[in-house]
């Protein structure tokens, strides 16, 4: 690796680490805003669209968007999945905890694997199926029926986190069809669409009493949408997939630490085992996928 490439990779590591740390703090912003989950998601779209629109305008991205009618409609479809994924994840925070909802949400790579097999006829190996099984054993342990007073609301929260992960996986599958378009513009289309998609579910009567919560809502839009996405997209261009997979685990780790520090959430032994199973299986699956991609590239170069 050249000195220049090494410096770019170091910069990418810093960018992605900051982005993952920001991701791990979003639960606090959701709770402290005092707004309902769908209202939070709506405000994220409003403030995020404003910040991303300004960023894209300053960078001159509107001069040649690269969108066709088909890709624009696909971006809108991805927006449907993305914004409802946010709403259900925020709702899962309230019903379970930031820690548990985030870890369960981290099963999303396995949905991508399963959907890839269904949609793109990608080969579903025994190893992939094995890691999917390990991850969902982890989900069962995270639920920890023997150690917590399980209510219908709690189980619904686990279900919402799983649903949010599935919606994110659908968005990922759609994104695979949007090659050659700046991801910042795709995100802008999606959050703008989200304003109209979430509007019917917004509790405007509840927003009158949140006061300082508006600052937290603005933070979710500006910090966790615009700034975080800009850092993510910048880092992806500088890092190999394997390193991205490893650094992505900064997100759940920070979420757990923040949840325990700020809200005093306690995680029971079986839940810890479940967290380790989910994160370990996800990492193994991601690293296995990136290594196969690397071998395919090498084979292509030698042919």
């Amino acid at each position: 690796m050249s000195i220049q490439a090494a410096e770019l990779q170091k910069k990418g590591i810093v960018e992605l680490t900051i982005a993952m740390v920001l991701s791990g703090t979003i639960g606090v912003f959701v709770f402290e805003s005092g707004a309902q989950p769908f209202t939070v998601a709506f405000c994220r779209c409003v403030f995020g669209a404003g910040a991303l629109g300004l960023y894209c305008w300053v960078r001159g991205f509107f001069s040649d968007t690269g969108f066709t009618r088909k890709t624009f409609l696909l971006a809108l479809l991805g927006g449907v999945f993305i914004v409802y994924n946010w709403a259900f994840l925020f709702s899962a925070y309230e019903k379970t905890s930031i820690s548990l909802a985030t870890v369960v949400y981290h099963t999303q790579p396995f949905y991508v694997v399963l959907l890839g097999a269904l949609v793109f006829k990608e080969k579903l190996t025994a190893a992939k199926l094995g890691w999917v099984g390990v991850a969902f054993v982890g989900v069962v342990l995270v639920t920890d029926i023997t150690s917590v007073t399980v209510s219908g609301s709690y189980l619904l929260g686990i279900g919402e986190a799983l649903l949010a992960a599935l919606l994110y996986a659908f968005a990922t599958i759609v994104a695979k069809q949007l090659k050659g378009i700046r991801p910042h513009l795709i995100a802008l289309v999606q959050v703008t669409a989200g304003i109209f998609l979430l509007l019917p579910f917004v509790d405007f009567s509840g927003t009158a009493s949140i006061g300082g919560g508006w600052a937290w809502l603005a933070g979710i839009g500006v910090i966790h949408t615009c700034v975080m996405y800009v850092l993510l997209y910048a880092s992806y261009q500088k890092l190999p997939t394997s390193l991205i997979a490893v650094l992505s685990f900064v997100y759940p780790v920070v979420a757990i630490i923040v949840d325990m520090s700020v809200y005093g959430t306690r995680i029971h032994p079986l839940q810890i085992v479940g967290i380790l199973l989910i994160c370990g299986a996800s990492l193994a699956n991601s690293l296995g996928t990136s290594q196969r991609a690397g071998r395919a590239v090498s084979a292509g170069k030698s042919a």
Side-chain angles (χ1 to χ4, degrees), residues 84-208:
Y84 287 119
N85 139 78
W86 291 341
F88 285 115
L89 179 60
F90 297 163
S91 182
Y93 288 159
E94 289 189 347
K95 295 180 177 69
T96 57
S97 69
I98 295 170
S99 301
L100 298 186
T102 300
V103 172
V104 172
Y105 180 66
H106 222 69
T107 57
Q108 57 194 244
F110 300 105
Y111 287 121
V112 175
V113 168
L114 296 175
L115 288 172
L118 289 173
V119 178
F120 300 115
K121 308 301 180 184
E122 294 175 354
K123 186 178 180 180
L124 194 57
T125 64
K128 285 182 178 180
L129 282 174
W131 290 125
V132 169
V134 170
F136 283 99
V137 169
V139 171
V140 173
L141 293 178
V142 161
T143 304
D144 198 11
I145 295 174
T146 62
S147 299
V148 296
T149 304
V150 178
S151 64
S153 177
Y154 177 85
L155 292 177
L156 179 59
I158 295 292
E160 286 177 333
L162 287 169
L163 177 57
L166 178 60
L167 290 172
Y168 187 88
F170 277 122
T172 301
I173 294 297
V174 171
K176 287 188 175 185
Q177 313 302 309
L178 298 173
K179 297 176 181 178
I181 303 171
R182 293 185 185 276
H184 312 79
L185 291 171
I186 296 172
L188 177 58
V189 169
Q190 292 175 340
V191 294
T192 303
I195 295 172
F196 301 97
L197 290 167
L198 294 169
L199 184 60
F201 306 100
V202 178
D203 178 19
F204 286 107
S205 62
T207 60

